[in-house]
Amino acid sequence: MPALADINETLTRFYINRAVSDVFRTMLGREPTISQCFDRMPGDDAPSTIEHHRPQIVGTVGFFGEVNGLVYLHLDLTFARICTCHLLDMTEAALDEAGDDVINDAIGELTNMTVGSFKNGLCDSGYSCKLTIPSIVRGSNFVIEPISSATRQIYYFDCEEHRVIADILIQRDE
Amino acid sequence: MRYKVLTVDDSKTVRIIVKKAFKPYDCEIREAANGVEGLAVAAKESPDLILLDVTMPVMDGVEMLTKLKADPALKGIPVMMLTAEGGRDNVLKIAKIGVRDYLVKPFKEEVLIEKCGRIIDLKPLTEGPAKSKSIFDPADILVVEDKPAIVQQIQDGLKHTPWKIRGVVAQGEAIDACTRQPPDVVLVSLSLAEEAAFTLFRLLRTNVKTKYTPVFALVVKTETQQQQQAQTVGFSAIITKPIDTGELETKIAKAMNLDTSQRYYATEHECLVLRLPENCTAPVLAEAAHYLKPKFTEAVDAGHNKVVIDVHQLRSLHMGVIKLLFQAMQTCRELAMQFALVANAQIISECKGFEDTRGWTFYDSLDEAKANLGKTAPAPSASPLAAAAA
C-alpha cells in the first residue's frame, strides 16, 4: 500500500471531481464544475467551516480499510428536491405527498454513488477500502468540525444555479 | 413468459429507478431491502434475475451472494451486481463468487436494461388490449443503404403513407440511429461493404430495444445466394431490387402487424362501405377478404345493417374481384344486411358480359346507393361462383 501522504490535494481533487461529475451527469443530466476549494492539514488552527444560509440536506458516507475517511455532500433543500424529482420521475406535488424520507433516501443514494466513485479511485490507487451505509443530516444552522488528526478538503461545485459542496475528511494516522 | 427480476438494495430510490427502467418490458419486479430479505424473496419467488447491491444493513450483498450460491435450489439464479462498490480488487473478489455481470453506480437505465437483456429475454410490453396500430398511424422506417437513389426511391414510393423514411449509409450510423430512437422497421442493403448488413443484423438482434424489430434485407433480384443467406440468418423479409414499393408497403404493414382494414372498409353515416381500389391485385383482394367477415360482423354488432359495395374506382373486372363481391353479398345475406353496389360505366358494362354478374344492379354514386338501400332486390345467388365464394 502506498503511504497515506501520497493522497494529496491533486489526487483528491481529481477523484472527487470525477465522482461528482459522473454522478450528476449520469443520474441527473447536469454538469457540475469546481468553483472553489479549501485545504486544511491536521493541526491547522483555523478549521474551515461551511456557512449555510438556507435549509440544507447533507448526505454522509464513510470509507474504511487501508484508508479511512468520510465525505459529506451538501445540497440546499431546493436543489435536493429537484434532484429527487428527477431521479424518481416525480412532480413537486407528488414529492410533497411522499414526504421527507423520500428526499433523504434519494440524497443518501446520490452520496453513496459519489463517495463510491471517489473511493473506487482510491482503491485503484492501492488503498483498498469499503463503503459504509449512508446517513443524512438536515438543518439550517450547523457546523461540521473534523477531529484534529484528519485532513479536510472542501470542494464547491457550481451546478447551474445551484451549489453542491463535497467535504472530504481523511484520517491521517498511519 | 413473464420474467421476474428481484432488486436487492437498501435504497428505495434505487429500487424505484430499477422499476422505472423495467416498466416498458414484460416483467415483474420484486424488491428486498437487504440480504436476508433478498434470500427469502429469492426462495419464495424463484426470480429469473437478481440485481444485487453490496453495502446493505443486516446482511450485505457479498454474504447474500455467498449463501445463494451455496443453496442448490437458488444457485442457478443469475445475479448481476448493481453497486457503488467498484474497486478492481473488490470486483474481482465478488466476481469469483459467481455473478453474471457487474454494473457500477452511477448507471444509466438504458445500460441496465441492455445488460439485463443479455441475461433474460426482455420483451417490450404491448399495451394491453388497446387497438392495434393502423395503416394511417405514423411509423419510423430506417433504411441502411449506401446508394442514395434507392433511399429516394423508397421515400417516393411510400410518400402517400404517414411513415417517416430515414436513410443512413453505414452500420455505425444505423446503430446510433437505433439507439436514439428504435425504428419500427429496418431495411438493410446486403450490398454494404464487408458483410456489414449481417453484422448489423446480429447487433440489432442482441440489443434489447431492437431484438424484435422487423429487419428486411434489400438485395438484387438475381443475387439468390445472398437471399438464401439472409433467410438462413433470420431476416424478417427479403425485398428484391428493383423495388416494388407496393409489395414493400404490404410487407412492412404485415411485419408491423398493422390494421390495414381501413384501406377498404369505412363506416359512413351508419353505413358500412367496402371500397375496392383501382388496381385489385391478388394481395389486395386477399387483404380485403381477410377483413370481410370481421368488419361486417363488427358493423352488425354496432347496429349498422347497411352496406355499400363500391367498385367505382376499379379499372377492370376479373375473376378475383367477382369472387370477392360474391363473398361480400353472401355475407350480407347471412347477416341480414341490406346492400347496394356502386360502379363506373366500364365495370357495369363488363358485368353484363358474365352470366353470373349480368343480373347485378349498380348505382352511379354512393349517395344514390345509400338512398336506395333496401329498395333493391338482392342479386341472384344461385350461381357456381356464388357457391364457390360461400
Side-chain angles (χ1 to χ4, degrees):
Chain A
M1 182 191 81
L4 282 180
D6 292 343
I7 308 176
N8 54 25
E9 198 277 327
T10 310
L11 199 68
T12 310
R13 174 193 278 259
F14 174 75
Y15 287 140
I16 197 65
N17 189 30
R18 189 177 67 175
V20 173
S21 299
D22 273 0
V23 172
F24 280 71
R25 186 188 310 118
T26 310
M27 304 308 292
L28 303 166
R30 289 173 182 262
E31 294 285 349
T33 48
I34 291 182
S35 58
Q36 294 177 61
C37 74
F38 296 101
D39 190 6
R40 191 200 77 108
M41 295 308 287
D44 279 2
D45 289 338
S48 311
T49 55
I50 301 166
E51 284 187 25
H52 295 305
H53 306 290
R54 286 184 287 188
Q56 295 288 306
I57 295 190
V58 182
T60 318
V61 170
F63 44 94
F64 63 97
E66 289 170 359
V67 58
N68 299 304
L70 274 173
V71 178
Y72 295 94
L73 201 67
H74 300 238
L75 284 85
D76 64 60
L77 181 58
T78 311
F79 191 39
R81 288 176 62 88
I82 292 169
C83 293
T84 307
C85 287
H86 186 103
L87 274 177
L88 304 179
D89 210 5
M90 284 173 108
T91 60
E92 284 273 341
L95 186 60
D96 285 337
E97 210 168 294
D100 290 347
D101 282 352
V102 173
I103 305 174
N104 291 352
D105 192 83
I107 301 308
E109 186 53 36
L110 274 184
T111 312
N112 178 50
M113 289 179 186
T114 307
V115 183
S117 181
F118 174 75
K119 83 94 205 165
N120 290 338
L122 295 179
C123 285
D124 291 343
S125 299
Y127 307 94
S128 178
C129 54
K130 291 183 175 179
L131 293 173
T132 66
I133 291 163
S135 59
I136 290 287
V137 178
R138 272 173 169 259
S140 301
N141 185 12
F142 58 86
V143 173
I144 295 167
E145 288 186 8
I147 54 169
S148 58
S149 62
T151 58
R152 183 180 204 185
Q153 275 135 13
I154 304 170
Y155 296 90
Y156 290 78
F157 290 85
D158 286 339
C159 197
E160 291 158 27
E161 70 273 32
H162 300 284
R163 172 161 278 189
V164 178
I165 304 167
D167 183 2
I168 305 165
L169 304 170
I170 297 178
Q171 176 69 261
R172 286 296 169 181
D173 291 337
E174 295 276 350
Chain B
M1 178 189 168
R2 198 139 208 246
Y3 287 101
K4 279 185 206 165
V5 176
L6 169 60
T7 165
V8 188
D9 201 304
D10 58 328
S11 165
K12 200 173 175 186
T13 300
V14 172
R15 302 201 305 266
I16 292 172
I17 294 171
V18 168
K19 272 205 273 190
K20 189 154 61 83
F22 280 94
K23 205 175 171 188
Y25 298 93
D26 188 21
C27 63
E28 296 166 20
I29 303 294
R30 298 284 183 267
E31 296 178 53
N34 58 59
V36 172
E37 277 184 27
L39 284 170
V41 178
K44 190 180 165 208
E45 300 279 350
S46 295
D48 301 287
L49 173 65
I50 297 174
L51 302 176
L52 184 56
D53 188 18
V54 172
T55 310
M56 293 183 288
V58 187
M59 182 193 284
D60 69 19
V62 177
E63 191 179 347
M64 174 179 160
L65 182 64
T66 309
K67 286 187 190 296
L68 196 83
K69 292 297 166 191
D71 185 331
L74 304 178
K75 69 177 179 187
I77 301 173
V79 176
M80 182 165 121
M81 302 308 293
L82 179 59
T83 174
E85 188 63 71
R88 259 192 308 268
D89 294 346
N90 290 336
V91 171
L92 284 173
K93 220 179 285 177
I94 293 166
K96 274 184 189 166
I97 308 171
V99 294
R100 285 288 291 273
D101 212 333
Y102 205 111
L103 182 55
V104 179
K105 298 173 185 173
F107 64 100
K108 282 208 171 291
E109 289 174 30
E110 306 91 87
V111 177
L112 172 70
I113 291 298
E114 198 212 316
K115 280 179 176 275
C116 291
R118 291 183 200 158
I119 303 171
I120 54 173
D121 184 19
L122 282 176
K123 287 195 175 85
L125 198 62
T126 46
E127 299 224 345
K131 76 173 180 120
S132 54
K133 261 184 130 184
S134 114
I135 193 81
F136 299 116
D137 290 325
D140 185 20
I141 318 290
L142 181 71
V143 185
V144 191
E145 169 65 83
D146 54 1
K147 294 161 196 77
I150 297 287
V151 179
Q152 190 61 52
Q153 194 185 335
I154 295 171
Q155 284 170 335
D156 291 344
L158 299 179
K159 70 177 174 206
H160 61 282
T161 69
W163 302 341
K164 184 180 159 202
I165 318 291
R166 287 189 283 163
V168 294
V169 295
Q171 179 195 314
E173 261 188 280
I175 293 292
D176 286 349
C178 289
T179 308
R180 277 198 306 273
Q181 188 196 346
D184 294 292
V185 174
V186 182
L187 313 181
V188 190
S189 171
L190 296 193
S191 60
L192 294 178
E194 293 169 347
E195 302 225 313
F198 294 96
T199 311
L200 175 62
F201 179 81
R202 278 189 288 274
L203 290 170
L204 292 173
R205 284 293 170 264
T206 50
N207 184 326
V208 70
K209 284 185 177 169
T210 52
K211 83 161 59 157
Y212 295 105
T213 304
V215 182
F216 291 8
L218 295 173
V219 59
V220 175
K221 207 168 190 171
T222 50
E223 294 283 356
T224 48
Q225 204 177 334
Q226 273 193 326
Q227 289 177 35
Q228 272 177 0
Q229 197 184 347
Q231 265 169 346
T232 311
V233 169
F235 276 85
S236 316
I238 311 285
I239 302 294
T240 53
K241 297 177 190 174
I243 296 169
D244 173 347
T245 48
E247 181 204 0
L248 174 63
E249 184 184 341
T250 306
K251 285 188 173 175
I252 290 175
K254 200 171 171 193
M256 288 166 60
N257 202 19
L258 296 182
D259 175 3
T260 53
S261 65
Q262 291 166 64
R263 277 180 177 154
Y264 316 104
Y265 298 89
T267 304
E268 297 172 7
H269 306 295
E270 301 188 344
C271 175
L272 178 67
V273 179
L274 160 57
R275 190 173 283 121
L276 293 182
E278 60 173 314
N279 187 16
C280 277
T281 58
V284 166
L285 288 169
E287 199 170 49
H290 171 73
Y291 292 108
L292 198 143
K293 274 242 160 142
K295 280 289 163 189
F296 280 41
T297 309
E298 192 182 295
V300 171
D301 190 42
H304 307 147
N305 66 342
K306 291 176 181 171
V307 180
V308 175
I309 302 166
D310 179 4
V311 291
H312 86 275
Q313 290 176 4
L314 198 65
R315 269 186 293 186
S316 68
L317 196 67
H318 57 78
M319 210 47 80
V321 174
I322 297 174
K323 272 190 180 175
L324 180 71
L325 296 183
F326 265 118
Q327 195 185 340
M329 288 187 261
Q330 182 63 27
T331 308
C332 286
R333 286 189 199 95
E334 284 168 10
L335 293 167
M337 298 174 94
Q338 298 168 7
F339 64 88
L341 298 159
V342 177
N344 57 41
Q346 163 82 18
I347 299 298
I348 294 170
S349 150
E350 285 185 34
C351 277
K352 299 285 179 216
F354 289 105
E355 180 63 34
D356 291 317
T357 57
R358 191 167 293 152
W360 289 359
T361 307
F362 289 96
Y363 295 99
D364 294 332
S365 72
L366 200 65
D367 290 338
E368 196 189 344
K370 281 181 188 168
N372 286 286
L373 262 170
K375 293 179 190 168
T376 332
S381 63
S383 72
L385 268 175

